[in-house]
Amino acid sequence: MSLKIRLARAGTKKRPVYHIVIADSRAPRDGRFIERLGYFNPLLPKDKTERLKLDLDKVKAWLAKGALPTDRVLRFLDEAGVMKREKRNNPLRAVPRKERKAQAEEAVKAAAAAKSAAAAKSAAATGGTPPAS
């Protein structure tokens, strides 16, 4: 059984509040869970202490048992100093899809041209014909 520490949505329409729960990874997001570990209220300002409450002793106990936090919960645990979250870097994220696709095609063409040029150079050095690809 794969355990996850994740958010379960509660609250009303357009007024979300999230419970931080330990649940089986196969259970629905807002469905069955094993234990509640805290809550998160994204509508409160970031400087309010009531925005996030975690029972760190329970979290550490579940982490020791092999539970894995989701990305959002890992951010909370990193702020609390329980776990370390690695920085992510995706410089192509802001580039539109069409431009990324065109850049990838150009890279493939450039690689093919470099390969054929290297084959021609090696064939000229040996005095034979270039190998068929």
Side-chain angles (χ1 to χ4, degrees):
M1 178 166 80
S2 177
L3 297 175
K4 290 279 194 181
I5 302 174
R6 66 182 183 198
L7 299 176
R9 187 179 162 130
T12 60
K13 182 175 162 184
K14 303 199 184 218
R15 310 270 314 160
V17 175
Y18 295 93
H19 299 290
I20 300 170
V21 298
I22 180 84
D24 184 359
S25 63
R26 298 168 294 187
R29 179 193 71 183
D30 302 333
R32 190 175 45 147
F33 62 90
I34 299 168
E35 186 175 8
R36 225 178 111 183
L37 306 176
Y39 63 84
F40 171 61
N41 187 349
L43 298 178
L44 292 177
K46 292 185 179 181
D47 57 345
K48 291 267 190 181
T49 57
E50 300 88 33
R51 181 179 166 95
L52 173 69
K53 181 194 173 288
L54 269 173
D55 188 345
L56 294 178
D57 295 332
K58 287 182 182 179
V59 170
K60 289 177 185 175
W62 281 107
L63 289 172
K65 293 176 187 175
L68 296 173
T70 57
D71 290 338
R72 178 57 52 182
V73 174
L74 187 58
R75 283 177 181 257
F76 300 150
L77 297 178
D78 186 30
E79 289 175 18
V82 175
M83 288 186 78
K84 182 72 178 139
R85 179 180 170 268
E86 296 296 323
K87 276 277 202 198
R88 294 184 178 177
N89 184 16
N90 187 0
L92 297 179
R93 181 174 156 218
V95 179
R97 174 174 277 178
K98 286 182 181 179
E99 291 180 25
R100 278 187 297 198
K101 205 171 187 181
Q103 288 173 356
E105 289 173 359
E106 289 174 15
V108 168
K109 288 179 184 177
K115 184 178 177 182
S116 64
K121 185 177 180 182
S122 67
T126 59
T129 59
S133 38

